[in-house]
Amino acid sequence: MSNKLKLAIAVALTLAACGQAAKPKSAASDAPPPGKGKGFNHDPFPSTYHAYPGVPTALVGATVYDGEGGRIENGTVLFADGKVTAIGGPDLAIPAGSTVIDAKGKWVTPGVIDIHSHLGDYPSPGVQALSDGNEATGPVTADVWAEHSVWPQDPGFSRALANGGVTTLQILPGSANLMGGRSVVLKNVYARTAQGMKFPGAPYGLKMACGENPKRVYGSKGRQPSTRMGNIAVDRQTWAKAAEYKRKWDKYEEKGGEQPSRDIAMDTLMGVLSGEILIQNHCYRADEMANVIDMAKEFGYHVSAFHHAVEAYKIGDLLKANGVCASVWADWYGFKMESYDGIPENLAILQKTGTCATIHSDDQNGIQRLNQEAGKALASGRRAGIDISDELAWTWLAINPAKALGIADKTGSLKAGKMADVVLWNGNPFSVYTRPEKVWIDGAMLYDAYNPKLRPVSDFELGQPGEGDVK
Amino acid sequence: MKHLLLAAAALIATPLSAETVAITGGTVAIGDGSQPIQGGTVVIANGRVVAAGAGVAVPAGARVVDATGKWVSPGIVAPISTLGIVDGYGMNETNDAQTKGSPFSAAIDVSTSINTSGQGIATERSSGTTRAFVIPAAGNTMFGGQGAVIDLGADVDPVTKPRAFQYVELGEDAGDHGGGTRPAAHVLLRAALVAAQNPAQVDWLSKDSLITKQDAQALGPVIRGTMPLLVHVERVADIRAALALKADYPAIKLVLVGATEGWRIADQIAAAKVPVIAAAITDLPERFETLAATQSNVGRLTKAGVLVAISNVDASEGPYESYLTQFAGNLVAITKIPGATGLDWGQAFATITSKPAEAIGMGGEIGSLRPGRHADVVIWDGDPLEIASAPVAIWIDGVAQPMTSRQTRLRDRYLDPTEKALPKAYEY
């Protein structure tokens, strides 16, 4: 027991003694309430990530997309001590001692954020022994945490960094289950442990899934759910239990008494109902997204983002009205029935509707080219007559996913005080001919196309054919 | 909405016919590896290319299409595809790509069932893909069966060449389909090739027979070298084992598919004069057979003198035929990365046009704007390898193609998602 708590007990006893003679009480009823949200440790696997050293840097002369829809020509981007210090035009004063990089003819953007990745939990090589993304043993596995599956040696992290300029990514459990477990947000920096990659202060997400995957996986096992109505039924039953669990803990944390027993799955759901954990919901079809929005209202939670929202373009207004983001591929379609209505204008129509929208990969190859994927979505939109600027389209890769992950105060744009997660591109990043030239994470240069030593090689790749190849 | 109705009406009313067309003023990419030609002209007539390049005269009576400020190229040739045999591989009911539970393997002939109504055909056509090699996947054995070359035209007659090649798995997937392991698959393959030399001797009535008479017959053209044998292999050892087939069957027209580790023995592949349909830009050790994966594979093989086409085989779920231009563009992009080996623009464009055609011996028919080829022509609003570019007009066999698909219909319906006086179902 901490000293602070001991003192509080002493004060409580003293106050009680003032009124009348204190009656003997059991130890349980004597225990004071721990306070809201303090009944147990909510962060038992804390981040041990730390920023690597960098030097005060000035990128000068580039076209800058700030990630929030702003654009500066001939811009200057300054960062030091891991943080963006200022961005501006050519007249922005460069602090003495800065390393100045001539970025004329090049582009500078905030680092790419992929809100939907399975790097680490479905790593390369994709052998059964490393297949750790789906705990497909029950339709509700809200008790599993993706970070306990993440293999920090996945070679995919380096490809996402070097080819895609990805600096932050959310690793989700898979979509076999209605409630597949907790996500984890990572900085794209190799570490010996998953905790060493964990984005400090990022909220957890709960991965939920609509539609065909849960009904197929459990239907084929002859158990509920085997239909879409079964999906919602099991979800609602589970939320009802979670609400009851939360009531018990709220009562205990506010009034004391006997501590309720822990249920690791319900901890996560309670975190959602408290607004501490964000819902990241795999959901393709417009009608199913609408069902989920109503279910969320019924139980008093909020969906942060629908992922794979192939039909989001049909209900941009509904998503906007409910403050839900849509995370989508540029152009995947038709690979299963619930993706049959995919169109490449999805993102652009969402933008036109004013809906929060992001690109995402769900893919170890696609994550290497999210800038190109956004570029395709942008071009498709323009051909359909939707006028979107390049700098606005960059919000799909930056501030919007940061918002949907609850980390927009820390990263997702080039704003003074934010993490210096920065990409210098060797051309227009919406061109197929462009690649990242340098990538900084928290102000540390972690990739440089011109320096072979600044190209990470994971443990798995050491001694393998192709080790150290530029890939 | 009115323009849509008109477009739909035009599609129904106008017979699609091959016409004489001269496309003038555009940047012309021949597709043969050469660099694009500014201000060129492309002439097509009777469904074939007549001429393409600078200084080409416009024939009298030709319909002239002004392509100034645009690009003109052959249509994209997708060398590994399931267009027409799968409506979506998550929908098992629609899947004719993989046969399980049939007595047949090598004899399977996909040309019998190419469905031109699948939405993929029109959608991928609108990305500039005009021909595809439709390939059955290995099912009962490591033989997939006989693939077909198809066109993506808006008609009911898709097959350009039936039984254009045989497809075989000899790498990791051969373990699943060839009897358990790679070495076992090789034994079965060798046994099948022996049977192919004399199919009459195959006891096709015996249930213990490893191969049916029909399968043995189907492999006859393979050992005689009149039907290419596409072999999917990734790692060095498997590539070498595949190349070794040529020692026993010198006539075999071998084509490697995948060949992710090909760069490590590029000289041996070049010496064997075996073309490669490579896995484009995959760079992850996603399997133990692709530990040496690198985006430089295509560049290094090409540099060594190997004929290389690219495909979306081994790419992830999403990538469709439409990704081929993007992949080729990425091969150009890496020329700017120190240590990487890429391709110049002309070479890169050839990997998705003439090279796939040449890999299966059809370079004289499709895949470029050289005279005499099928008139598969695309006008693009910009550089076809660039992300933002898209086709604005497409001809297949000289026939102008509709530019609409189910996707464009959905797009037009939902450009404004709100419902009006009637439900969306009344907007068409």
Side-chain angles (χ1 to χ4, degrees), chain B residues 294-315:
Chain B
T294 167
Q295 295 185 56
S296 295
N297 188 38
V298 171
R300 291 173 187 166
L301 287 168
T302 303
K303 210 171 170 182
V306 179
L307 188 164
V308 189
I310 65 169
S311 74
N312 48 359
V313 70
D314 288 350

PDB file of all heavy atoms in Angstrom, chain B residues 294-315:
ATOM      1  N   THR B 294      13.558  -9.410 -53.498  1.00  0.00           N
ATOM      2  CA  THR B 294      13.976  -8.013 -53.631  1.00  0.00           C
ATOM      3  C   THR B 294      13.295  -7.396 -54.847  1.00  0.00           C
ATOM      4  O   THR B 294      13.065  -8.085 -55.848  1.00  0.00           O
ATOM      5  CB  THR B 294      15.509  -7.880 -53.794  1.00  0.00           C
ATOM      6  OG1 THR B 294      15.818  -6.548 -54.221  1.00  0.00           O
ATOM      7  CG2 THR B 294      16.073  -8.865 -54.810  1.00  0.00           C
ATOM      8  N   GLN B 295      13.009  -6.118 -54.729  1.00  0.00           N
ATOM      9  CA  GLN B 295      12.410  -5.420 -55.868  1.00  0.00           C
ATOM     10  C   GLN B 295      13.386  -5.316 -57.044  1.00  0.00           C
ATOM     11  O   GLN B 295      12.988  -4.962 -58.142  1.00  0.00           O
ATOM     12  CB  GLN B 295      11.962  -4.017 -55.455  1.00  0.00           C
ATOM     13  CG  GLN B 295      10.849  -4.041 -54.429  1.00  0.00           C
ATOM     14  CD  GLN B 295      10.326  -2.657 -54.099  1.00  0.00           C
ATOM     15  OE1 GLN B 295       9.899  -1.931 -54.990  1.00  0.00           O
ATOM     16  NE2 GLN B 295      10.368  -2.294 -52.850  1.00  0.00           N
ATOM     17  N   SER B 296      14.635  -5.610 -56.794  1.00  0.00           N
ATOM     18  CA  SER B 296      15.632  -5.541 -57.865  1.00  0.00           C
ATOM     19  C   SER B 296      15.657  -6.799 -58.726  1.00  0.00           C
ATOM     20  O   SER B 296      16.427  -6.878 -59.689  1.00  0.00           O
ATOM     21  CB  SER B 296      17.025  -5.312 -57.264  1.00  0.00           C
ATOM     22  OG  SER B 296      17.082  -4.045 -56.636  1.00  0.00           O
ATOM     23  N   ASN B 297      14.859  -7.802 -58.379  1.00  0.00           N
ATOM     24  CA  ASN B 297      14.890  -9.070 -59.121  1.00  0.00           C
ATOM     25  C   ASN B 297      14.676  -8.860 -60.627  1.00  0.00           C
ATOM     26  O   ASN B 297      15.459  -9.333 -61.449  1.00  0.00           O
ATOM     27  CB  ASN B 297      13.820 -10.024 -58.556  1.00  0.00           C
ATOM     28  CG  ASN B 297      13.912 -11.421 -59.139  1.00  0.00           C
ATOM     29  OD1 ASN B 297      15.003 -11.926 -59.370  1.00  0.00           O
ATOM     30  ND2 ASN B 297      12.763 -12.034 -59.383  1.00  0.00           N
ATOM     31  N   VAL B 298      13.633  -8.130 -60.962  1.00  0.00           N
ATOM     32  CA  VAL B 298      13.298  -7.939 -62.378  1.00  0.00           C
ATOM     33  C   VAL B 298      14.423  -7.194 -63.102  1.00  0.00           C
ATOM     34  O   VAL B 298      14.845  -7.568 -64.202  1.00  0.00           O
ATOM     35  CB  VAL B 298      11.957  -7.196 -62.522  1.00  0.00           C
ATOM     36  CG1 VAL B 298      11.706  -6.793 -63.970  1.00  0.00           C
ATOM     37  CG2 VAL B 298      10.814  -8.068 -62.008  1.00  0.00           C
ATOM     38  N   GLY B 299      14.929  -6.158 -62.455  1.00  0.00           N
ATOM     39  CA  GLY B 299      16.005  -5.377 -63.071  1.00  0.00           C
ATOM     40  C   GLY B 299      17.264  -6.205 -63.281  1.00  0.00           C
ATOM     41  O   GLY B 299      17.905  -6.142 -64.336  1.00  0.00           O
ATOM     42  N   ARG B 300      17.593  -6.982 -62.270  1.00  0.00           N
ATOM     43  CA  ARG B 300      18.822  -7.791 -62.367  1.00  0.00           C
ATOM     44  C   ARG B 300      18.682  -8.896 -63.410  1.00  0.00           C
ATOM     45  O   ARG B 300      19.623  -9.170 -64.158  1.00  0.00           O
ATOM     46  CB  ARG B 300      19.166  -8.369 -60.994  1.00  0.00           C
ATOM     47  CG  ARG B 300      19.614  -7.301 -60.005  1.00  0.00           C
ATOM     48  CD  ARG B 300      19.780  -7.851 -58.600  1.00  0.00           C
ATOM     49  NE  ARG B 300      20.053  -6.764 -57.651  1.00  0.00           N
ATOM     50  CZ  ARG B 300      19.974  -6.897 -56.333  1.00  0.00           C
ATOM     51  NH1 ARG B 300      19.639  -8.057 -55.800  1.00  0.00           N
ATOM     52  NH2 ARG B 300      20.230  -5.859 -55.546  1.00  0.00           N
ATOM     53  N   LEU B 301      17.523  -9.525 -63.453  1.00  0.00           N
ATOM     54  CA  LEU B 301      17.301 -10.553 -64.478  1.00  0.00           C
ATOM     55  C   LEU B 301      17.365  -9.941 -65.869  1.00  0.00           C
ATOM     56  O   LEU B 301      17.993 -10.494 -66.790  1.00  0.00           O
ATOM     57  CB  LEU B 301      15.939 -11.228 -64.271  1.00  0.00           C
ATOM     58  CG  LEU B 301      15.810 -12.202 -63.094  1.00  0.00           C
ATOM     59  CD1 LEU B 301      14.341 -12.559 -62.860  1.00  0.00           C
ATOM     60  CD2 LEU B 301      16.627 -13.462 -63.334  1.00  0.00           C
ATOM     61  N   THR B 302      16.720  -8.794 -66.029  1.00  0.00           N
ATOM     62  CA  THR B 302      16.708  -8.135 -67.336  1.00  0.00           C
ATOM     63  C   THR B 302      18.124  -7.771 -67.767  1.00  0.00           C
ATOM     64  O   THR B 302      18.527  -7.966 -68.915  1.00  0.00           O
ATOM     65  CB  THR B 302      15.806  -6.884 -67.286  1.00  0.00           C
ATOM     66  OG1 THR B 302      14.501  -7.285 -66.874  1.00  0.00           O
ATOM     67  CG2 THR B 302      15.722  -6.195 -68.644  1.00  0.00           C
ATOM     68  N   LYS B 303      18.867  -7.246 -66.805  1.00  0.00           N
ATOM     69  CA  LYS B 303      20.246  -6.853 -67.086  1.00  0.00           C
ATOM     70  C   LYS B 303      21.084  -8.054 -67.524  1.00  0.00           C
ATOM     71  O   LYS B 303      21.991  -7.927 -68.342  1.00  0.00           O
ATOM     72  CB  LYS B 303      20.847  -6.241 -65.814  1.00  0.00           C
ATOM     73  CG  LYS B 303      21.900  -5.193 -66.060  1.00  0.00           C
ATOM     74  CD  LYS B 303      22.246  -4.527 -64.738  1.00  0.00           C
ATOM     75  CE  LYS B 303      23.476  -3.648 -64.898  1.00  0.00           C
ATOM     76  NZ  LYS B 303      23.844  -3.044 -63.616  1.00  0.00           N
ATOM     77  N   ALA B 304      20.752  -9.209 -66.979  1.00  0.00           N
ATOM     78  CA  ALA B 304      21.497 -10.427 -67.331  1.00  0.00           C
ATOM     79  C   ALA B 304      21.061 -10.997 -68.676  1.00  0.00           C
ATOM     80  O   ALA B 304      21.626 -11.981 -69.149  1.00  0.00           O
ATOM     81  CB  ALA B 304      21.315 -11.480 -66.240  1.00  0.00           C
ATOM     82  N   GLY B 305      20.030 -10.401 -69.270  1.00  0.00           N
ATOM     83  CA  GLY B 305      19.602 -10.863 -70.587  1.00  0.00           C
ATOM     84  C   GLY B 305      18.405 -11.797 -70.574  1.00  0.00           C
ATOM     85  O   GLY B 305      18.077 -12.410 -71.590  1.00  0.00           O
ATOM     86  N   VAL B 306      17.753 -11.908 -69.438  1.00  0.00           N
ATOM     87  CA  VAL B 306      16.560 -12.757 -69.358  1.00  0.00           C
ATOM     88  C   VAL B 306      15.352 -11.960 -69.864  1.00  0.00           C
ATOM     89  O   VAL B 306      15.223 -10.769 -69.576  1.00  0.00           O
ATOM     90  CB  VAL B 306      16.307 -13.217 -67.898  1.00  0.00           C
ATOM     91  CG1 VAL B 306      15.057 -14.079 -67.806  1.00  0.00           C
ATOM     92  CG2 VAL B 306      17.526 -13.959 -67.356  1.00  0.00           C
ATOM     93  N   LEU B 307      14.478 -12.643 -70.592  1.00  0.00           N
ATOM     94  CA  LEU B 307      13.231 -12.016 -71.013  1.00  0.00           C
ATOM     95  C   LEU B 307      12.289 -12.042 -69.805  1.00  0.00           C
ATOM     96  O   LEU B 307      11.916 -13.113 -69.340  1.00  0.00           O
ATOM     97  CB  LEU B 307      12.631 -12.797 -72.181  1.00  0.00           C
ATOM     98  CG  LEU B 307      11.423 -12.225 -72.927  1.00  0.00           C
ATOM     99  CD1 LEU B 307      11.266 -12.946 -74.269  1.00  0.00           C
ATOM    100  CD2 LEU B 307      10.124 -12.299 -72.157  1.00  0.00           C
ATOM    101  N   VAL B 308      11.924 -10.860 -69.301  1.00  0.00           N
ATOM    102  CA  VAL B 308      11.133 -10.806 -68.072  1.00  0.00           C
ATOM    103  C   VAL B 308       9.834 -10.040 -68.275  1.00  0.00           C
ATOM    104  O   VAL B 308       9.844  -8.891 -68.724  1.00  0.00           O
ATOM    105  CB  VAL B 308      11.905 -10.139 -66.910  1.00  0.00           C
ATOM    106  CG1 VAL B 308      11.124 -10.312 -65.598  1.00  0.00           C
ATOM    107  CG2 VAL B 308      13.293 -10.715 -66.764  1.00  0.00           C
ATOM    108  N   ALA B 309       8.753 -10.688 -67.926  1.00  0.00           N
ATOM    109  CA  ALA B 309       7.455 -10.019 -67.798  1.00  0.00           C
ATOM    110  C   ALA B 309       7.141  -9.936 -66.313  1.00  0.00           C
ATOM    111  O   ALA B 309       7.780 -10.614 -65.508  1.00  0.00           O
ATOM    112  CB  ALA B 309       6.382 -10.835 -68.514  1.00  0.00           C
ATOM    113  N   ILE B 310       6.179  -9.105 -65.931  1.00  0.00           N
ATOM    114  CA  ILE B 310       5.797  -9.072 -64.514  1.00  0.00           C
ATOM    115  C   ILE B 310       4.309  -9.377 -64.375  1.00  0.00           C
ATOM    116  O   ILE B 310       3.518  -9.207 -65.307  1.00  0.00           O
ATOM    117  CB  ILE B 310       6.134  -7.743 -63.826  1.00  0.00           C
ATOM    118  CG1 ILE B 310       5.331  -6.577 -64.413  1.00  0.00           C
ATOM    119  CG2 ILE B 310       7.626  -7.494 -63.852  1.00  0.00           C
ATOM    120  CD1 ILE B 310       5.424  -5.303 -63.597  1.00  0.00           C
ATOM    121  N   SER B 311       3.975  -9.822 -63.173  1.00  0.00           N
ATOM    122  CA  SER B 311       2.599 -10.209 -62.912  1.00  0.00           C
ATOM    123  C   SER B 311       2.245  -9.818 -61.494  1.00  0.00           C
ATOM    124  O   SER B 311       3.087  -9.317 -60.747  1.00  0.00           O
ATOM    125  CB  SER B 311       2.446 -11.718 -63.050  1.00  0.00           C
ATOM    126  OG  SER B 311       3.023 -12.341 -61.926  1.00  0.00           O
ATOM    127  N   ASN B 312       0.988 -10.056 -61.147  1.00  0.00           N
ATOM    128  CA  ASN B 312       0.619  -9.856 -59.755  1.00  0.00           C
ATOM    129  C   ASN B 312       0.538 -11.184 -59.011  1.00  0.00           C
ATOM    130  O   ASN B 312      -0.071 -11.269 -57.959  1.00  0.00           O
ATOM    131  CB  ASN B 312      -0.680  -9.062 -59.618  1.00  0.00           C
ATOM    132  CG  ASN B 312      -1.778  -9.595 -60.503  1.00  0.00           C
ATOM    133  OD1 ASN B 312      -1.574 -10.551 -61.240  1.00  0.00           O
ATOM    134  ND2 ASN B 312      -2.947  -8.994 -60.449  1.00  0.00           N
ATOM    135  N   VAL B 313       1.180 -12.197 -59.520  1.00  0.00           N
ATOM    136  CA  VAL B 313       1.240 -13.446 -58.780  1.00  0.00           C
ATOM    137  C   VAL B 313       2.084 -13.199 -57.535  1.00  0.00           C
ATOM    138  O   VAL B 313       3.041 -12.431 -57.562  1.00  0.00           O
ATOM    139  CB  VAL B 313       1.846 -14.594 -59.613  1.00  0.00           C
ATOM    140  CG1 VAL B 313       3.324 -14.394 -59.856  1.00  0.00           C
ATOM    141  CG2 VAL B 313       1.621 -15.928 -58.944  1.00  0.00           C
ATOM    142  N   ASP B 314       1.689 -13.800 -56.451  1.00  0.00           N
ATOM    143  CA  ASP B 314       2.354 -13.634 -55.161  1.00  0.00           C
ATOM    144  C   ASP B 314       2.129 -12.260 -54.546  1.00  0.00           C
ATOM    145  O   ASP B 314       2.603 -11.987 -53.452  1.00  0.00           O
ATOM    146  CB  ASP B 314       3.868 -13.900 -55.231  1.00  0.00           C
ATOM    147  CG  ASP B 314       4.151 -15.381 -55.414  1.00  0.00           C
ATOM    148  OD1 ASP B 314       3.205 -16.174 -55.289  1.00  0.00           O
ATOM    149  OD2 ASP B 314       5.305 -15.725 -55.685  1.00  0.00           O
ATOM    150  N   ALA B 315       1.448 -11.384 -55.234  1.00  0.00           N
ATOM    151  CA  ALA B 315       1.090 -10.127 -54.599  1.00  0.00           C
ATOM    152  C   ALA B 315      -0.091 -10.421 -53.684  1.00  0.00           C
ATOM    153  O   ALA B 315      -0.646 -11.516 -53.684  1.00  0.00           O
ATOM    154  CB  ALA B 315       0.724  -9.086 -55.636  1.00  0.00           C
TER     155      ALA B 315
END
